[in-house]
Amino acid sequence: MAVRRVHYAWVVAAVTFIALLGAAGFRATPSVLIVPLQNEFGWNRAVISVAVSINLILFGLTGPFAAALMERFGLRVVTVGALGTVAAGALLTTQMNAAWQLYLLWGVVVGLGTGCMASVLAATVVNRWFVSRRGLVLGALTAAGATGQLVFLPVLGWLAQTAGWRLSAVTVALAALAVVPVVAVFMRSRPVDVGLRAYGASEADVAPVSTGSPIANAFRGLRLGVRSRDFWLLGGSFFICGASTNGLIGTHLVPASMDHGMAEVTAASLLAVIGVFDVIGTLASGYLTDRFDSRWLLFFYYGLRGLSLLLLPYVFGSPQFALILFIVFYGLDWVATVPPTVQLARKAFGAQNFAIVYGWIFAAHQMGAAAIAFAAGAVRTYFGDYQIAFMTSGLLCLVAAGLVLRIARERPGHVEVGEPRLAYS
């Protein structure tokens, strides 16, 4: 009997999942370090939230430039460099003693490193290596960040509480470095590199020759995107998505829970539970994206998320079971928006242009996250609680639910022929 070989696309997908998992550690640290940093250095939450905002902005803005670098130098080189940058930033953070060092290391260095392994990496891998099962694979890769929360958050919270926050940062650095050999050995940029077609493809992919400055190529992608109404609708809705997830809940749920008398390890475990259900929700969203209109999927995701945030301030004062229900629902919805957003972007801009243009759409996601990370910290500092931040984010999600229905309808059986293509120079 002939043995059926596993397509190398699945190896690349597995390596990408591990890389995203390893990078998720430092992305998870802001929520568990806010209170320890406040206690040790006397910085208020508004000051610390500035560093979080810088991190989130660069995490997003790096995306289109990382996509251009991947076109020029390949997935392996960019990913290994990003993991090394994250590890260096995490280790140097243990030596800081001033707020500007927090902004430089936690904000700039780690923001740049994690930005090269954000949603753009997952979308690029799926776009190059898969024709069949795109939505499902993208859902799995998107869930890597949530799985990273599941793995790291309880451990980081326990370390911060029992051994100090510096050991938490060292743990994250070691996790990032542990992934480097795996990426260096197994990552490949395109199916043609191993003599294959993409998974499910009927013909071989012709890799575009990328020359010239990656910075110039990234801005060419932006110029292509801004001419389209769909770019603004996707970017606007993704801005709100970032504001309501990474920026608000990802950064401030732990300190908000501690404001209501919850222990830090217990509060950090709430985000870990979100990670458990996020894996389920994102895989389900990827499966649905392969089968249904992505606009309507996004409408329901944003609408239900908005309603849940409007109820969250009242949940804190209710029996703990109500908070658990919120965590379960929010986990299912956390990044379920990514597979349908990527699908719509690919339909709108074509396979050849998609990665860099989507990088700018993802940048909007992180701009939203950065805005609310700082705003919620400021609200807590000046008003004493997070209620206004939660309610405002809920209303914004309802706005996003309306925006996505104005995106051009997907065309069944659409073949990507003759799209405008980025001219690399």
Side-chain angles (χ1 to χ4, degrees):
M1 178 183 292
V3 178
R4 187 176 180 182
R5 297 180 61 188
V6 174
H7 195 288
Y8 203 79
W10 296 107
V11 176
V12 174
V15 172
T16 305
F17 186 95
I18 294 170
L20 294 171
L21 182 71
F26 210 95
R27 300 283 344 285
T29 55
S31 58
V32 299
L33 297 190
I34 286 178
V35 173
L37 291 175
Q38 185 178 5
N39 292 338
E40 177 169 338
F41 297 106
W43 303 329
N44 63 43
R45 295 188 192 181
V47 170
I48 298 171
S49 294
V50 171
V52 179
S53 296
I54 294 171
N55 179 286
L56 292 172
I57 289 172
L58 291 178
F59 180 70
L61 286 179
T62 304
F65 300 97
L69 288 170
M70 291 172 195
E71 291 287 351
R72 182 71 185 277
F73 300 109
L75 296 174
R76 177 166 46 188
V77 171
V78 175
T79 306
V80 168
L83 286 165
T85 301
V86 169
L91 289 173
L92 289 172
T93 301
T94 64
Q95 304 302 310
M96 69 182 180
N97 52 34
W100 70 266
Q101 296 168 347
L102 176 69
Y103 301 156
L104 175 63
L105 297 172
W106 190 352
V108 176
V109 176
V110 175
L112 291 173
T114 54
C116 289
M117 293 179 295
S119 182
V120 172
L121 173 60
T124 301
V125 167
V126 170
N127 185 53
R128 293 183 182 182
W129 282 90
F130 290 87
V131 172
S132 300
R133 311 287 179 85
R134 275 194 184 124
L136 183 62
V137 176
L138 182 61
L141 295 182
T142 303
T147 306
Q149 281 189 330
L150 168 64
V151 172
F152 285 106
L153 264 175
V155 176
L156 295 176
W158 179 80
L159 288 173
Q161 183 172 298
T162 60
W165 64 269
R166 289 178 176 83
L167 188 56
S168 297
V170 171
T171 301
V172 169
L174 294 177
L177 290 174
V179 180
V180 170
V182 178
V183 175
V185 173
F186 295 106
M187 180 66 83
R188 296 294 183 274
S189 289
R190 294 180 180 275
V192 70
D193 295 343
V194 290
L196 295 173
R197 299 172 181 174
Y199 182 79
S202 58
E203 59 184 32
D205 174 54
V206 179
V209 178
S210 178
T211 60
S213 167
I215 295 176
N217 291 334
F219 281 110
R220 288 189 186 96
L222 177 61
R223 287 199 299 271
L224 175 65
V226 296
R227 299 169 188 162
S228 167
R229 186 186 72 165
D230 287 347
F231 176 85
W232 294 103
L233 292 171
L234 287 166
S237 59
F238 230 29
F239 179 96
I240 295 170
C241 179
S244 56
T245 52
N246 303 65
L248 182 63
I249 299 300
T251 303
H252 291 285
L253 181 64
V254 171
S257 300
M258 293 174 68
D259 285 346
H260 288 81
M262 191 175 293
E264 183 172 9
V265 173
T266 304
S269 297
L270 292 178
L271 282 182
V273 173
I274 284 180
V276 174
F277 287 94
D278 184 19
V279 174
I280 300 171
T282 310
L283 287 172
S285 179
Y287 176 85
L288 294 172
T289 298
D290 286 331
R291 289 161 175 79
F292 298 101
D293 187 336
S294 295
R295 301 176 314 130
W296 284 103
L297 292 178
L298 289 175
F299 171 80
F300 286 113
Y301 296 159
Y302 285 123
L304 293 174
R305 183 185 298 179
L307 294 176
S308 68
L309 283 173
L310 290 173
L311 293 174
L312 180 57
Y314 306 101
V315 168
F316 279 120
S318 303
Q320 194 169 22
F321 178 71
L323 182 58
I324 293 173
L325 284 179
F326 171 84
I327 293 299
V328 170
F329 170 78
Y330 220 80
L332 292 172
D333 190 65
W334 184 263
V335 286
T337 55
V338 173
T341 299
V342 169
Q343 176 82 335
L344 289 169
R346 195 177 190 278
K347 292 286 186 181
F349 301 104
Q352 298 295 341
N353 305 327
F354 153 74
I356 293 177
V357 177
Y358 173 71
W360 289 108
I361 294 171
F362 181 73
H365 182 281
Q366 295 309 117
M367 293 294 286
I372 200 67
F374 171 74
V379 165
R380 170 59 177 79
T381 298
Y382 295 109
F383 293 98
D385 61 48
Y386 286 101
Q387 182 169 357
I388 293 176
F390 290 137
M391 301 290 280
T392 301
S393 293
L395 293 174
L396 286 174
C397 286
L398 297 182
V399 171
L403 290 178
V404 294
L405 291 182
R406 297 182 60 81
I407 297 170
R409 184 183 300 274
E410 294 181 46
R411 291 164 286 175
H414 169 60
V415 179
E416 292 158 351
V417 176
E419 316 107 331
R421 180 170 171 174
L422 290 179
Y424 297 107
S425 61

